[in-house]
Amino acid sequence: MEGVLVQLAAGFVNVFTPVNFAALVVGLIVGLLVAVLPGLTLVMGVVLALPFTYSMDVIPAIILLTAMYLSGTYAGAWTSILFHVPGEPIDVPLLWDGYAMARKGEAAQALGWTLLSAFAGGMVAAVVMVLLAQPVAKIALTFSTPEYFAILFFGLASVVSLGGSSLTNALISLFAGLLIATVGVDDTYGTHRFTFGVPLLSDGIDYLVVMVGAYGLGEVFLRMEQGFNSVPLEAVGKIRTRLPRLREVLATKMTFLRGSATGIIVGLVPGAGATVASFLSYGIEGQYGKRRQEMGTGIPEGIIAPQTAATASVGGAIIPLVTLGIPGSGATAIILGAFLLHGLQPGPQVFQTSSHIIYAMFASVFVGIIVMCVIGYFATKAMVRVLEFPEVIVSAYVVMLCILGAFAARNNITDVWLVVIFGVLGYLFERFKFPITPLVLGVILGPLAESSFMTTMISYSNDWTVFFTRPISGPIMLIAILALLYPVFRRMRQRMKQRIASQ
Amino acid sequence: MASPARLKRIIPYALVGAAAGYLYYAAANFQYHARAGVLGPDFWPKALLALVIAACLYEIVMTLALGRRDDVGGVLEEIVEESAEEHGGAAAAAPVESRPYLLLGGMALTALYVWAITKLGFFTATVPYLAAFVALGGYRRWGVIAAVSVIGTLLMMFFFMKVVYVSLPIGQEPFAQVTLLLMKLMGIR
C-alpha cells in the first residue's frame, strides 16, 4: 500500500509539470465543449483528439485523452437541465429530474447537485481504481493463454449481451469486427488473409481507422440524413450554480454510494460505459431509493444517481484497460490506441515497466475531477453558448478531422478511403440497427483473442476443452456463456409472464 | 408467399450472408504450408464466417417462416428503453424526417474530397469541400461559410504541418504551387 501511495505521489508531481497540467486543462475544456455540443459525442471527441497527440510525449497524450473522457461525462448535463437538450445519450436521465427542477425555478440547485455528483462519483471511482489496479494486475500476471482467451471471450460476450436492440445483430457486428482484425499477413504462417492484392492491407486494418470511420464519419452521415439543427438558447443570462448544503448532502448519501458503486461496476464491464451506468443507476434509485415514488418530479436523487454513476464509470473502465490491456469502452479503446502509438502495451507487466505513466494517469483523474468542477462552477454560462454554433459547421470540421486523423496515422491515402468506407458502414449499421460497439471492440480485441486461442490450441494439442477444465478459465467461460444466454432467458420469462397475465 | 415487409427485413441478412459466403470461399483458398497437428491461418476466419452465415440464416428463417418481428435485445439496452418509455419517451423523441438526397450528396461530396485531396492538395481541396458541405447542410450565411472554410483549413494545415510534423498532401502541379506558397508564408519547411 505504501508503494502505491509513493507512486501516486510521484504521479501527482508529474501531473503538475507545466506541459502535463496544460494538457489536462485543455483536455477538460475540450471534453466539456464536446459534451455540450449535440453534434459531437464523447467517443467521437476523443477519437478526433487522437491525431493531435501524435507528436506529444506519452504522459501528456494520455492525460489529455483521459481528461476529455472524464469531462465528457459531465457537461452534457448542463444542456439537459437548462434547455431539455441532452448533449450525450448519457444525459437523457437528467432530463427527467434535472429539467423538472429547472422548470420549478431551481436550475441553480440542479446544476449544483450535478457538479457535486460528478465530483463524488469521480473521486470514489478514482480511489477504487488506485486500490484495485495493482492487485488485479498481480493476479493477471499469473494468467496463461487459456485464461486470457476466457477473459476476452467474457468481454466480447458481455458486449453482445448488454447492448444493442437485437442479439443476432450484435453477434453479426462482433463477428464482422473480429473478421476485420484478421485482414493482413498472419503472424504464424505469413499467409495473406483478405488482402485482395492491396499492398496496404498486408499491414492489416488499423482499428483507429475503423473507429474514426464508424464513430466519426458514420455519425455525421446519420445527422446529415436527419438534417442539421441548432438549439435556440433562452435564459442563458440567468445561469448560475448553487451548491447544496451539507445537511442536504448527508440526507442523500446512500444515493451517492449506490450511484458510485453502479458506475464503477458498469465501467468494469466491457461495452457497457457511461450511458448504461447512468440509466441503470437511475433505474436502481427508482426501485430502491428512499424517495422512489417521487422520481421524475424534480428531486435531487434523480440527478445524483445518473451523474455519479456516469462519472464513476470512468474510473471503473480504466481498471481493465491498464491491468489487462482490455478497453471496456469506446473512449478507453482510443486511450489504448494512444498507449500503443507510443510503443507501450497496457497490461499487468506495465506496472513493472512503466508504472510512472500509469500513476500519472491515475493522478490526473484526481486532479482532473477537481479542475473540472472548478471550471464547471465558474464557466457553465460561457460554455453552453457553444450550442449557438451551427451543427453543420461542427459536422464539416468533424469530417475534416476524421480525414486528417486517418491520413496522419500512416501518411497514406488508402487509410483515408478506408475511413470513408467504414463511415458508410457505420451509417448502415446505425440505420439497420446493428450496434457499432461490438464491431469496434471486435476489431480491437480480435488479434489478442485469435493469438491466445491459437497459442492455446498449439500448447494443448488442439484440445478445446482446456478452456473449460482449468480452474480460472473454466468459471469465466461459464459466466460468459450464461451472460450470452441471459437475454434469451429474460425474454422467455417476460413472454411467460405476459401469457399468464392474459389468461 | 412472404409479404414485402418480411422480404425487406431479410435483405440486410441476405447481403451479409452472401458476403460471408464469398469470404468463406476466399478463406478456403488461403495459400500456406500446413503443419501437422496445428490449426491453419484459415481456421479462425472460417469459424467466424460460419457463425456469421449461421446468424444470418437464423434471422432469415425466423422472419420468413415464423414472421417474427420482435428481437431479443441486449439486457441493459432494454432497461434503457424501458426507463425512457416510463418517462415519456424523452430519449425516443418524435420521428425524424429522413433526407436521403442530402445524405447521398454528403457521401458523394466526401468521396470527391478524398479523391481530390491528392490531386489538388490539402488546402485547395479542403476549402471548397468545407464550404460545399456547410452549404449543402442548409447554412446560408456566406461570409461565415467563407471564414470557417479558409481560416479552419489554414489553422489545421499550420497545426499538422508545423506542430505535429505530418506532411499533408501538397497536390499535383499547378495546385502544388498554392500549397508551397502557403507553406512558405506560414514558415513550414
Side-chain angles (χ1 to χ4, degrees):
Chain A
M1 188 62 205
E2 201 181 314
V4 171
L5 290 177
V6 169
Q7 296 197 73
L8 189 63
F12 277 107
V13 173
N14 232 327
V15 170
F16 283 109
T17 59
V19 173
N20 293 345
F21 192 72
L24 179 83
V25 174
V26 170
L28 289 170
I29 293 172
V30 176
L32 292 169
L33 293 173
V34 163
V36 169
L37 282 166
L40 274 173
T41 63
L42 162 62
V43 181
M44 250 167 108
V46 186
V47 166
L48 298 177
L50 186 66
F52 293 92
T53 67
Y54 286 170
S55 64
M56 287 183 182
D57 285 335
V58 61
I59 294 179
I62 299 298
I63 288 177
L64 181 107
L65 298 176
T66 310
M68 280 188 74
Y69 180 24
L70 190 67
S71 58
T73 63
Y74 165 51
W78 302 338
T79 52
S80 271
I81 291 167
L82 297 168
F83 309 115
H84 204 253
V85 177
E88 298 274 337
I90 306 165
D91 306 306
V92 170
L94 284 152
L95 297 174
W96 305 327
D97 281 274
Y99 185 65
M101 264 181 103
R103 285 186 67 184
K104 289 195 283 188
E106 296 169 5
Q109 286 90 329
L111 290 174
W113 281 111
T114 310
L115 187 146
L116 192 69
S117 306
F119 178 82
M123 280 295 178
V124 172
V127 171
V128 173
M129 172 183 77
V130 172
L131 292 177
L132 278 187
Q134 280 225 354
V136 174
K138 271 187 187 150
I139 296 168
L141 272 174
T142 65
F143 288 177
S144 185
T145 50
E147 284 73 35
Y148 249 97
F149 180 77
I151 288 171
L152 290 165
F153 183 72
F154 169 72
L156 296 172
S158 66
V159 174
V160 169
S161 72
L162 288 174
S165 54
S166 155
L167 201 61
T168 321
N169 288 4
L171 279 169
I172 292 173
S173 177
L174 172 68
F175 298 145
L178 291 169
L179 266 173
I180 291 166
T182 66
V183 173
V185 177
D186 164 62
D187 288 340
T188 318
Y189 288 85
T191 307
H192 283 255
R193 299 192 296 188
F194 306 121
T195 52
F196 302 107
V198 179
L200 194 82
L201 290 181
S202 301
D203 294 337
I205 295 176
D206 194 335
Y207 77 78
L208 291 171
V209 167
V210 181
M211 288 189 86
V212 169
Y215 280 128
L217 216 50
E219 182 70 25
V220 170
F221 288 150
L222 200 70
R223 285 182 177 273
M224 192 147 208
E225 188 191 20
Q226 295 166 355
F228 298 108
N229 4 297
S230 292
V231 183
L233 296 186
E234 295 146 14
V236 169
K238 298 173 201 161
I239 294 170
R240 64 187 189 89
T241 302
R242 190 183 80 72
L243 288 170
R245 294 191 184 90
L246 185 64
R247 187 168 37 84
E248 294 172 309
V249 176
L250 289 174
T252 53
K253 59 181 182 297
M254 288 313 290
T255 310
F256 277 106
L257 275 176
R258 271 192 294 271
S260 303
T262 308
I264 294 165
I265 294 165
V266 171
L268 281 166
V269 179
T275 304
V276 171
S278 164
F279 275 91
L280 192 66
S281 179
Y282 190 92
I284 290 172
E285 195 57 29
Q287 292 217 325
Y288 303 105
K290 216 164 40 181
R291 298 174 72 186
R292 55 184 174 272
Q293 306 292 348
E294 296 166 67
M295 291 287 279
T297 60
I299 59 169
E301 284 84 345
I303 295 172
I304 300 164
Q307 188 60 61
T308 41
T311 313
S313 70
V314 176
I318 289 175
I319 297 171
L321 171 73
V322 295
T323 58
L324 299 165
I326 298 174
S329 63
T332 45
I334 302 151
I335 298 172
L336 172 71
F339 272 114
L340 297 176
L341 279 169
H342 290 89
L344 200 74
Q345 171 70 59
Q349 60 281 51
V350 87
F351 283 86
Q352 291 164 346
T353 56
S354 314
S355 62
H356 66 291
I357 297 172
I358 301 300
Y359 280 94
M361 182 193 191
F362 287 173
S364 78
V365 175
F366 286 97
V367 181
I369 292 164
I370 296 166
V371 178
M372 174 182 86
C373 291
V374 172
I375 298 172
Y377 187 80
F378 291 105
T380 309
K381 192 164 139 183
M383 290 217 168
V384 294
R385 284 204 176 274
V386 299
L387 268 181
E388 283 177 313
F389 207 65
E391 194 186 332
V392 63
I393 295 177
V394 176
S395 295
Y397 274 83
V398 167
V399 179
M400 179 176 61
L401 286 171
C402 287
I403 303 291
L404 274 172
F407 185 80
R410 291 196 281 190
N411 267 28
N412 198 305
I413 203 73
T414 312
D415 277 336
V416 181
W417 280 113
L418 284 173
V419 161
V420 177
I421 291 167
F422 283 110
V424 175
L425 193 73
Y427 161 78
L428 291 172
F429 265 52
E430 287 275 5
R431 191 80 172 74
F432 293 102
K433 299 194 186 316
F434 287 82
I436 289 175
T437 309
L439 173 93
V440 171
L441 284 182
V443 179
I444 295 164
L445 301 179
L448 206 54
E450 185 185 359
S451 69
S452 52
F453 176 81
M454 295 302 267
T455 312
T456 308
M457 288 293 101
I458 291 168
S459 308
Y460 295 89
S461 313
N462 294 342
D463 176 16
W464 59 269
T465 58
V466 70
F467 295 117
F468 297 91
T469 52
R470 286 171 67 94
I472 296 177
S473 64
I476 298 173
M477 290 295 281
L478 195 70
I479 295 168
I481 291 169
L482 288 176
L484 263 181
L485 293 175
Y486 183 70
V488 182
F489 292 143
R490 192 170 186 268
R491 174 54 63 92
M492 281 163 70
R493 206 180 60 191
Q494 277 174 347
R495 281 200 187 139
M496 213 179 287
K497 270 186 188 169
Q498 280 169 356
R499 214 171 293 159
I500 292 166
S502 64
Q503 277 169 2
Chain B
M1 181 82 184
S3 69
R6 282 190 205 178
L7 287 174
K8 200 176 160 190
R9 197 178 135 82
I10 65 162
I11 287 173
Y13 300 103
L15 289 174
V16 172
Y22 168 71
L23 291 174
Y24 191 95
Y25 169 76
N29 288 298
F30 285 159
Q31 302 293 316
Y32 68 98
H33 295 290
R35 295 176 202 164
V38 180
L39 296 174
D42 57 337
F43 175 81
W44 182 258
K46 275 163 78 178
L48 293 171
L49 288 161
L51 289 167
V52 173
I53 294 167
C56 291
L57 281 176
Y58 168 79
E59 275 299 322
I60 291 169
V61 170
M62 291 298 273
T63 308
L64 288 182
L66 306 174
R68 191 173 66 102
R69 299 186 73 176
D70 57 330
D71 291 309
V72 177
V75 179
L76 293 177
E77 184 87 6
E78 283 187 11
I79 294 170
V80 167
E81 278 172 14
E82 279 166 18
S83 41
E85 273 167 27
E86 260 176 43
H87 292 88
V96 185
E97 192 192 334
S98 173
R99 296 175 172 86
Y101 295 111
L102 192 60
L103 170 73
L104 289 174
M107 284 180 174
L109 195 62
T110 305
L112 185 70
Y113 169 54
V114 176
W115 175 81
I117 204 166
T118 48
K119 309 272 184 296
L120 307 181
F122 177 73
F123 178 80
T124 324
T126 306
V127 171
Y129 170 73
L130 288 179
F133 187 97
V134 175
L136 185 71
Y139 193 78
R140 289 290 179 271
R141 290 170 70 179
W142 300 107
V144 178
I145 291 176
V148 294
S149 308
V150 176
I151 296 169
T153 308
L154 285 174
L155 277 175
M156 287 299 148
M157 198 175 155
F158 179 80
F159 184 84
F160 276 88
M161 294 182 101
K162 179 90 178 172
V163 183
V164 192
Y165 300 118
V166 172
S167 57
L168 297 175
I170 59 167
Q172 298 169 355
E173 292 296 343
F175 304 105
Q177 291 305 320
V178 179
T179 314
L180 292 171
L181 176 69
L182 286 169
M183 284 168 69
K184 203 172 166 186
L185 289 173
M186 288 193 273
I188 302 165
R189 270 178 281 168

